[in-house]
Short mmCIF file of all heavy atoms in Angstrom, two decimals:
data_model
loop_
_atom_site.label_atom_id
_atom_site.label_comp_id
_atom_site.label_asym_id
_atom_site.label_seq_id
_atom_site.Cartn_x
_atom_site.Cartn_y
_atom_site.Cartn_z
N ARG Z 1 -92.95 34.11 4.15
CA ARG Z 1 -94.29 33.81 4.64
C ARG Z 1 -95.22 34.96 4.25
O ARG Z 1 -94.76 36.07 4.00
CB ARG Z 1 -94.27 33.63 6.17
CG ARG Z 1 -93.47 32.40 6.56
CD ARG Z 1 -93.35 32.27 8.04
NE ARG Z 1 -92.36 33.26 8.52
CZ ARG Z 1 -92.00 33.40 9.78
NH1 ARG Z 1 -92.55 32.67 10.72
NH2 ARG Z 1 -91.11 34.29 10.12
N SER Z 2 -96.52 34.67 4.21
CA SER Z 2 -97.47 35.68 3.74
C SER Z 2 -98.75 35.70 4.57
O SER Z 2 -99.16 34.65 5.08
CB SER Z 2 -97.81 35.46 2.28
OG SER Z 2 -98.44 34.21 2.11
N VAL Z 3 -99.34 36.85 4.66
CA VAL Z 3 -100.69 37.01 5.20
C VAL Z 3 -101.50 37.69 4.12
O VAL Z 3 -101.15 38.77 3.65
CB VAL Z 3 -100.72 37.86 6.50
CG1 VAL Z 3 -102.18 37.98 6.99
CG2 VAL Z 3 -99.86 37.26 7.58
N TRP Z 4 -102.56 37.00 3.72
CA TRP Z 4 -103.48 37.60 2.74
C TRP Z 4 -104.59 38.28 3.48
O TRP Z 4 -105.27 37.68 4.31
CB TRP Z 4 -104.04 36.52 1.81
CG TRP Z 4 -105.03 37.03 0.80
CD1 TRP Z 4 -104.85 38.10 -0.03
CD2 TRP Z 4 -106.31 36.53 0.53
NE1 TRP Z 4 -105.94 38.26 -0.82
CE2 TRP Z 4 -106.87 37.30 -0.50
CE3 TRP Z 4 -107.07 35.49 1.04
CZ2 TRP Z 4 -108.13 37.09 -1.00
CZ3 TRP Z 4 -108.32 35.26 0.54
CH2 TRP Z 4 -108.84 36.05 -0.47
N VAL Z 5 -104.77 39.57 3.23
CA VAL Z 5 -105.87 40.34 3.81
C VAL Z 5 -107.05 40.17 2.86
O VAL Z 5 -107.10 40.77 1.78
CB VAL Z 5 -105.46 41.82 3.98
CG1 VAL Z 5 -106.62 42.61 4.60
CG2 VAL Z 5 -104.24 41.95 4.86
N SER Z 6 -107.98 39.30 3.23
CA SER Z 6 -109.03 38.85 2.32
C SER Z 6 -110.15 39.83 2.09
O SER Z 6 -110.83 39.79 1.06
CB SER Z 6 -109.61 37.52 2.82
OG SER Z 6 -110.39 37.74 3.98
N GLY Z 7 -110.44 40.66 3.08
CA GLY Z 7 -111.58 41.54 2.96
C GLY Z 7 -112.88 40.78 2.79
O GLY Z 7 -113.82 41.27 2.19
N GLY Z 8 -112.91 39.54 3.27
CA GLY Z 8 -114.10 38.70 3.17
C GLY Z 8 -114.16 37.86 1.91
O GLY Z 8 -115.10 37.09 1.73
N ARG Z 9 -113.16 37.98 1.02
CA ARG Z 9 -113.17 37.20 -0.21
C ARG Z 9 -112.65 35.80 0.05
O ARG Z 9 -111.84 35.57 0.95
CB ARG Z 9 -112.27 37.86 -1.24
CG ARG Z 9 -112.72 39.23 -1.68
CD ARG Z 9 -111.67 39.93 -2.52
NE ARG Z 9 -110.53 40.26 -1.67
CZ ARG Z 9 -109.34 40.59 -2.11
NH1 ARG Z 9 -109.10 40.64 -3.42
NH2 ARG Z 9 -108.35 40.88 -1.29
N ALA Z 10 -113.11 34.85 -0.79
CA ALA Z 10 -112.63 33.48 -0.70
C ALA Z 10 -111.35 33.33 -1.51
O ALA Z 10 -111.16 33.99 -2.54
CB ALA Z 10 -113.68 32.52 -1.25
N TRP Z 11 -110.45 32.46 -1.06
CA TRP Z 11 -109.21 32.20 -1.77
C TRP Z 11 -109.53 31.37 -3.00
O TRP Z 11 -110.22 30.35 -2.92
CB TRP Z 11 -108.21 31.47 -0.87
CG TRP Z 11 -106.89 31.28 -1.56
CD1 TRP Z 11 -106.41 30.12 -2.12
CD2 TRP Z 11 -105.91 32.27 -1.77
NE1 TRP Z 11 -105.19 30.34 -2.66
CE2 TRP Z 11 -104.85 31.66 -2.46
CE3 TRP Z 11 -105.81 33.63 -1.45
CZ2 TRP Z 11 -103.70 32.35 -2.84
CZ3 TRP Z 11 -104.68 34.30 -1.81
CH2 TRP Z 11 -103.63 33.67 -2.51
N ALA Z 12 -109.00 31.73 -4.17
CA ALA Z 12 -109.34 31.04 -5.42
C ALA Z 12 -108.15 30.47 -6.19
O ALA Z 12 -108.33 29.82 -7.19
CB ALA Z 12 -110.12 31.99 -6.34
N GLU Z 13 -106.95 30.74 -5.72
CA GLU Z 13 -105.76 30.26 -6.42
C GLU Z 13 -105.43 28.82 -6.01
O GLU Z 13 -105.46 28.50 -4.84
CB GLU Z 13 -104.56 31.17 -6.10
CG GLU Z 13 -104.73 32.59 -6.51
CD GLU Z 13 -104.80 32.77 -8.02
OE1 GLU Z 13 -104.21 31.95 -8.77
OE2 GLU Z 13 -105.45 33.74 -8.46
N ALA Z 14 -105.11 28.00 -6.99
CA ALA Z 14 -104.77 26.60 -6.69
C ALA Z 14 -103.26 26.36 -6.60
O ALA Z 14 -102.81 25.44 -5.92
CB ALA Z 14 -105.37 25.68 -7.74
N ALA Z 15 -102.47 27.18 -7.27
CA ALA Z 15 -101.03 26.94 -7.38
C ALA Z 15 -100.23 27.34 -6.14
O ALA Z 15 -99.12 26.84 -5.93
CB ALA Z 15 -100.47 27.68 -8.59
N TYR Z 16 -100.77 28.20 -5.30
CA TYR Z 16 -100.09 28.66 -4.10
C TYR Z 16 -101.12 29.12 -3.10
O TYR Z 16 -102.26 29.38 -3.47
CB TYR Z 16 -99.09 29.78 -4.43
CG TYR Z 16 -99.70 30.93 -5.22
CD1 TYR Z 16 -100.30 31.99 -4.57
CD2 TYR Z 16 -99.71 30.90 -6.62
CE1 TYR Z 16 -100.88 33.01 -5.29
CE2 TYR Z 16 -100.29 31.91 -7.33
CZ TYR Z 16 -100.88 32.98 -6.67
OH TYR Z 16 -101.47 33.97 -7.38
N ARG Z 17 -100.72 29.20 -1.85
CA ARG Z 17 -101.62 29.62 -0.77
C ARG Z 17 -100.87 30.54 0.19
O ARG Z 17 -99.66 30.40 0.35
CB ARG Z 17 -102.16 28.44 0.01
CG ARG Z 17 -102.94 27.46 -0.85
CD ARG Z 17 -103.69 26.44 -0.01
NE ARG Z 17 -104.64 27.04 0.91
CZ ARG Z 17 -105.85 27.52 0.60
NH1 ARG Z 17 -106.24 27.51 -0.62
NH2 ARG Z 17 -106.64 28.01 1.52
N PRO Z 18 -101.58 31.45 0.85
CA PRO Z 18 -100.94 32.26 1.88
C PRO Z 18 -100.62 31.40 3.12
O PRO Z 18 -101.29 30.39 3.36
CB PRO Z 18 -101.98 33.32 2.20
CG PRO Z 18 -103.28 32.69 1.85
CD PRO Z 18 -103.01 31.76 0.70
N THR Z 19 -99.67 31.84 3.87
CA THR Z 19 -99.36 31.20 5.14
C THR Z 19 -100.54 31.37 6.13
O THR Z 19 -100.87 30.48 6.89
CB THR Z 19 -98.08 31.81 5.76
OG1 THR Z 19 -97.05 31.75 4.78
CG2 THR Z 19 -97.67 31.05 7.02
N HIS Z 20 -101.13 32.55 6.08
CA HIS Z 20 -102.24 32.88 6.98
C HIS Z 20 -103.21 33.80 6.24
O HIS Z 20 -102.81 34.55 5.35
CB HIS Z 20 -101.69 33.60 8.22
CG HIS Z 20 -102.72 33.93 9.24
ND1 HIS Z 20 -103.28 32.98 10.05
CD2 HIS Z 20 -103.30 35.10 9.58
CE1 HIS Z 20 -104.17 33.56 10.85
NE2 HIS Z 20 -104.22 34.85 10.56
N VAL Z 21 -104.48 33.71 6.60
CA VAL Z 21 -105.52 34.57 6.02
C VAL Z 21 -106.14 35.40 7.16
O VAL Z 21 -106.50 34.83 8.20
CB VAL Z 21 -106.62 33.77 5.32
CG1 VAL Z 21 -107.73 34.66 4.82
CG2 VAL Z 21 -106.04 32.94 4.19
N ALA Z 22 -106.26 36.69 6.95
CA ALA Z 22 -106.92 37.57 7.92
C ALA Z 22 -107.93 38.42 7.13
O ALA Z 22 -107.66 38.80 6.00
CB ALA Z 22 -105.92 38.48 8.61
N GLU Z 23 -109.05 38.67 7.71
CA GLU Z 23 -110.07 39.44 7.01
C GLU Z 23 -109.70 40.93 6.89
O GLU Z 23 -110.04 41.57 5.90
CB GLU Z 23 -111.44 39.31 7.70
CG GLU Z 23 -112.57 39.87 6.86
CD GLU Z 23 -113.93 39.49 7.35
OE1 GLU Z 23 -114.05 38.57 8.18
OE2 GLU Z 23 -114.88 40.15 6.92
N HIS Z 24 -109.00 41.44 7.88
CA HIS Z 24 -108.62 42.86 7.88
C HIS Z 24 -107.14 43.00 8.24
O HIS Z 24 -106.52 42.08 8.76
CB HIS Z 24 -109.48 43.64 8.88
CG HIS Z 24 -110.94 43.56 8.62
ND1 HIS Z 24 -111.55 44.17 7.56
CD2 HIS Z 24 -111.90 42.84 9.25
CE1 HIS Z 24 -112.84 43.89 7.57
NE2 HIS Z 24 -113.07 43.07 8.58
N VAL Z 25 -106.60 44.17 8.03
CA VAL Z 25 -105.17 44.41 8.21
C VAL Z 25 -104.72 44.32 9.68
O VAL Z 25 -103.61 43.83 9.95
CB VAL Z 25 -104.71 45.72 7.55
CG1 VAL Z 25 -105.21 46.93 8.30
CG2 VAL Z 25 -103.19 45.76 7.38
N VAL Z 26 -105.53 44.79 10.64
CA VAL Z 26 -105.12 44.76 12.05
C VAL Z 26 -104.87 43.32 12.51
O VAL Z 26 -103.82 43.02 13.08
CB VAL Z 26 -106.10 45.54 12.93
CG1 VAL Z 26 -105.78 45.34 14.40
CG2 VAL Z 26 -106.06 47.02 12.58
N PRO Z 27 -105.81 42.39 12.29
CA PRO Z 27 -105.51 41.00 12.69
C PRO Z 27 -104.32 40.41 11.91
O PRO Z 27 -103.61 39.58 12.45
CB PRO Z 27 -106.80 40.24 12.36
CG PRO Z 27 -107.87 41.25 12.21
CD PRO Z 27 -107.19 42.53 11.84
N ALA Z 28 -104.12 40.87 10.69
CA ALA Z 28 -102.95 40.39 9.91
C ALA Z 28 -101.67 40.79 10.61
O ALA Z 28 -100.76 39.97 10.76
CB ALA Z 28 -103.01 40.95 8.49
N ILE Z 29 -101.59 42.02 11.01
CA ILE Z 29 -100.38 42.52 11.68
C ILE Z 29 -100.20 41.83 13.04
O ILE Z 29 -99.08 41.44 13.39
CB ILE Z 29 -100.44 44.05 11.82
CG1 ILE Z 29 -100.33 44.68 10.44
CG2 ILE Z 29 -99.32 44.56 12.77
CD1 ILE Z 29 -100.62 46.16 10.41
N HIS Z 30 -101.29 41.61 13.77
CA HIS Z 30 -101.17 40.90 15.05
C HIS Z 30 -100.64 39.50 14.85
O HIS Z 30 -99.86 39.00 15.67
CB HIS Z 30 -102.53 40.85 15.75
CG HIS Z 30 -102.91 42.17 16.39
ND1 HIS Z 30 -103.77 42.27 17.42
CD2 HIS Z 30 -102.51 43.43 16.12
CE1 HIS Z 30 -103.89 43.53 17.77
NE2 HIS Z 30 -103.15 44.27 17.00
#
């Protein structure tokens, strides 16, 4: 499983997706 730390960026990949998206690392870890 994965958490992408977006930093406010939009996801642009079509072939795969993260399990979860968080804007910053602290919410990702939570």
Side-chain angles (χ1 to χ4, degrees):
R1 295 175 285 181
S2 61
V3 179
W4 178 50
V5 180
S6 71
R9 297 171 291 165
W11 184 257
E13 299 294 331
Y16 52 89
R17 299 193 58 79
T19 308
H20 183 74
V21 176
E23 191 167 345
H24 302 287
V25 71
V26 171
I29 293 169
H30 284 205

